[in-house]
Amino acid sequence: MFESLKNLLKHFTGSQETASSAPETQTPPQQPQTASTSASTASASEESLNQYISLAQFNLGLGSIGPDNRNDIDKNVLIQMYQAIASGVFNVPANGVVPEICVDGRTKADGSRFSAPCAAGGTLSIVYGGDLGGNASAGDVNELQLTAQTIDSLKSKGHSTGVHGDDHGSCGCGACAKAPTIYQHVSERINDIAALVGKLGINVTDAEKGSIVQQANNRLGQAGFFAEDRAAVLQTAQDCGALFEELVGKHNELGIALNTKPGTTVDRAAIRAKYGPQYDIFVVDAWAFGNAAKDINTTGSDDDIQRIAKAITIQNVATASILGHGSLRIIPIA
């Protein structure tokens, strides 16, 4: 499935890789700007930005995190950051082969993050994606039991797992805190989400959409499936051995890095060091989704593995849509 995404991303990034791989040069002295040159520059900037698809193009992006809600960034610097990310210059080796840490761009108090594959909610992305894409009945388990089962299954196969909170809330992970809302969003907006995913080369069939929506509705209608105390989900994960990161500060993410380079993730600290602390990025290591789907699938069916991998992808897009603004653009790294 992700081979088609990788091939399509090569097309998306072809012109940018050439520009980004060129040695940096000194900025030439600025010439006095006229109204026409200023308009031309603005037009060129918009054209550069429009090379990347945005959530808004698919009627997604209900949240507030995104460049259009910021007055502390420079659009030209933003474009430079997008181009550099797309070229892969910030990719670094990742520890592990399944999602472990969250897409969240924030850091721990010492400025560090674990270097591991990223998805919305860390390992919780596998919990929720595995649930939405699996064949579980509506009433057999609740969210806490499902979290424990998934983490135990991953651990039994030698994988490290992880979740995070933050320093100013009882459940500082948006993918966890808003999981019921995200399931509702999947149910209501599956066609928009699938259209975005399809633009990236991943075809979600009508049958797969129907199955995922049915499972979302099953869980929304299942009394007591979602824990009222959202922090209890994070605690359950830790009780099962998941690593925990406490992140600090506010969200400064300006885009979504969609990484399909196996064995790598994106060094967000290096991005901030180059462009400034207000420049940050969500990181989705999509190459790891298929690995996770294969290792949590219990049927041995390739069709089930594919559906679970797509459901993990859909959970990531839905989370981005709930938390992120429509101006968030997807920056493919192939």
Side-chain angles (χ1 to χ4, degrees), residues 95-137:
N95 297 318
V97 296
V98 301
E100 178 183 336
I101 72 170
C102 189
V103 299
D104 199 314
R106 297 175 297 170
T107 71
K108 293 180 286 187
D110 64 1
S112 69
R113 290 293 300 276
F114 298 139
S115 180
C118 303
T123 300
L124 294 180
S125 182
I126 309 175
V127 174
Y128 298 131
D131 181 45
L132 290 168
N135 290 309
S137 62

Side-chain angles (χ1 to χ4, degrees), residues 169-220:
S170 61
C171 181
C173 172
C176 177
K178 295 185 178 292
T181 304
I182 291 164
Y183 270 57
Q184 188 70 46
H185 199 53
V186 169
S187 173
E188 294 174 350
R189 305 292 286 277
I190 188 65
N191 288 328
D192 293 327
I193 294 168
L196 186 155
V197 169
K199 186 71 172 180
L200 297 171
I202 304 169
N203 177 43
V204 184
T205 67
D206 287 341
E208 289 168 334
K209 287 190 288 185
S211 176
I212 290 168
V213 167
Q214 182 61 57
Q215 184 64 358
N217 289 335
N218 286 345
R219 294 310 194 193
L220 291 165

Side-chain angles (χ1 to χ4, degrees), residues 18 21 75 79 93-94 129 131 145 166 173 241 261-262 283 289 309 331 334:
T18 301
S21 61
K75 184 176 290 186
I79 293 167
D131 181 45
Q145 292 168 328
D166 65 22
C173 172
K261 288 190 171 183
V283 177
F289 293 178
I331 317 304

Side-chain angles (χ1 to χ4, degrees), residues 117-270:
C118 303
T123 300
L124 294 180
S125 182
I126 309 175
V127 174
Y128 298 131
D131 181 45
L132 290 168
N135 290 309
S137 62
D140 58 348
V141 293
N142 62 34
E143 180 185 18
L144 299 183
Q145 292 168 328
L146 187 64
T147 298
Q149 289 176 8
T150 303
I151 289 178
D152 286 343
S153 175
L154 291 167
K155 284 172 55 184
S156 72
K157 294 177 173 64
H159 298 301
S160 180
T161 58
V163 292
H164 82 89
D166 65 22
D167 61 345
H168 53 271
S170 61
C171 181
C173 172
C176 177
K178 295 185 178 292
T181 304
I182 291 164
Y183 270 57
Q184 188 70 46
H185 199 53
V186 169
S187 173
E188 294 174 350
R189 305 292 286 277
I190 188 65
N191 288 328
D192 293 327
I193 294 168
L196 186 155
V197 169
K199 186 71 172 180
L200 297 171
I202 304 169
N203 177 43
V204 184
T205 67
D206 287 341
E208 289 168 334
K209 287 190 288 185
S211 176
I212 290 168
V213 167
Q214 182 61 57
Q215 184 64 358
N217 289 335
N218 286 345
R219 294 310 194 193
L220 291 165
Q222 179 182 333
F225 174 75
F226 292 105
E228 289 188 18
D229 177 7
R230 302 309 302 155
V233 182
L234 303 180
Q235 189 59 57
T236 296
Q238 293 176 76
D239 291 345
C240 292
L243 300 174
F244 180 78
E245 293 181 301
E246 181 181 88
L247 307 183
V248 300
K250 64 179 183 178
H251 285 283
N252 283 324
E253 294 90 352
L254 297 165
I256 303 167
L258 184 63
N259 178 34
T260 64
K261 288 190 171 183
T264 72
T265 188
V266 176
D267 188 344
R268 286 163 280 204

Side-chain angles (χ1 to χ4, degrees), residues 8-67:
L8 190 58
L9 293 181
K10 287 179 180 178
H11 170 72
F12 281 169
T13 60
S15 62
Q16 294 145 20
E17 286 179 343
T18 301
S20 299
S21 61
E24 293 189 12
T25 58
Q26 294 295 320
T27 302
Q30 290 189 341
Q31 299 297 321
Q33 283 199 341
T34 64
S36 60
T37 59
S38 179
S40 176
T41 300
S43 176
S45 294
E46 287 303 317
E47 185 176 344
S48 294
L49 286 175
N50 289 336
Q51 294 179 61
Y52 309 97
I53 64 174
S54 68
L55 296 181
Q57 288 175 249
F58 297 88
N59 302 309
L60 300 172
L62 308 184
S64 61
I65 304 171

